Amino acid sequence: PADVHGSLFGEGMEINPVCYLGSGRQATPLHFDPSENLLCVVHGVKELSLYHPSDSEHLYPAGERNSTVVYSRADPYASDAELESKWPLLARASEWRAEVRAGDVLYLPCGWWHAVRGSAALNLSLNWWFELAAHKGDGGAARAAALEGQLARARAAQAAN
């Protein structure tokens, strides 16, 4: 409830909630969002591959943004052979996996890389995005610094390789 846990989050985004309905193992590309996120699965299952922001240098950031989202050029769903040949640095990143089922809620911190794949059967999830709470940083400046810092570190690492 907001009266108990509301202080953990900043202001909710105007787009909240966002509903995702899918089937057939639909998937998102690997990316990170500059806001905190609560993923609530209502029906079915969502599988997530998660990477800490410090792994950015191994995740091939595209350097382009679709609104405020930063995408990876790597395809985490590719075969092992393709991953090794096209994106060898991805093997250096520490992948965490999560399976979120109906009734579960996953907290996804600002800046964490993730790719999401839905179940073969019908799946439905709701997402809520939040600004950073005041006690977690200075909101927009912290988010902008996180975005720029991750991109700069990743570009420098890729240039060195």
Side-chain angles (χ1 to χ4, degrees):
D3 59 333
V4 175
H5 303 292
S7 66
L8 299 175
F9 301 99
E11 289 295 316
M13 307 291 245
E14 287 186 23
I15 61 169
N16 289 336
V18 174
C19 178
Y20 293 99
L21 177 65
S23 65
R25 308 274 302 147
Q26 84 284 358
T28 69
L30 182 60
H31 68 284
F32 73 85
D33 303 300
S35 304
E36 296 186 290
N37 180 359
L38 290 176
L39 166 64
C40 309
V41 175
V42 177
H43 186 83
V45 177
K46 299 280 183 159
E47 298 167 359
L48 285 87
S49 294
L50 303 158
Y51 300 89
H52 188 275
S54 65
D55 276 326
S56 293
E57 65 190 84
H58 306 302
L59 300 176
Y60 299 88
E64 301 168 1
R65 295 184 193 165
N66 170 3
S67 66
T68 57
V69 176
V70 175
Y71 290 95
S72 169
R73 291 187 310 270
D75 178 3
Y77 307 110
S79 68
D80 288 344
E82 188 175 5
L83 287 171
E84 289 174 19
S85 68
K86 289 186 174 180
W87 306 288
L89 295 178
L90 193 59
R92 295 183 190 173
S94 296
E95 179 185 25
W96 298 34
R97 291 191 176 219
E99 185 174 272
V100 188
R101 298 180 168 276
D104 291 342
V105 176
L106 175 77
Y107 166 64
L108 190 58
C110 169
W112 275 67
W113 290 86
H114 55 285
V116 183
R117 176 165 268 175
S119 53
L122 182 68
N123 53 81
L124 171 69
S125 62
L126 298 172
N127 285 68
W128 278 267
W129 281 275
F130 299 89
E131 298 289 343
L132 286 176
H135 66 277
K136 293 181 182 179
D138 59 356
R143 183 173 60 238
L147 285 168
E148 293 308 321
Q150 284 190 39
L151 286 172
R153 282 190 303 277
R155 286 185 194 122
Q158 288 177 0
N161 290 328

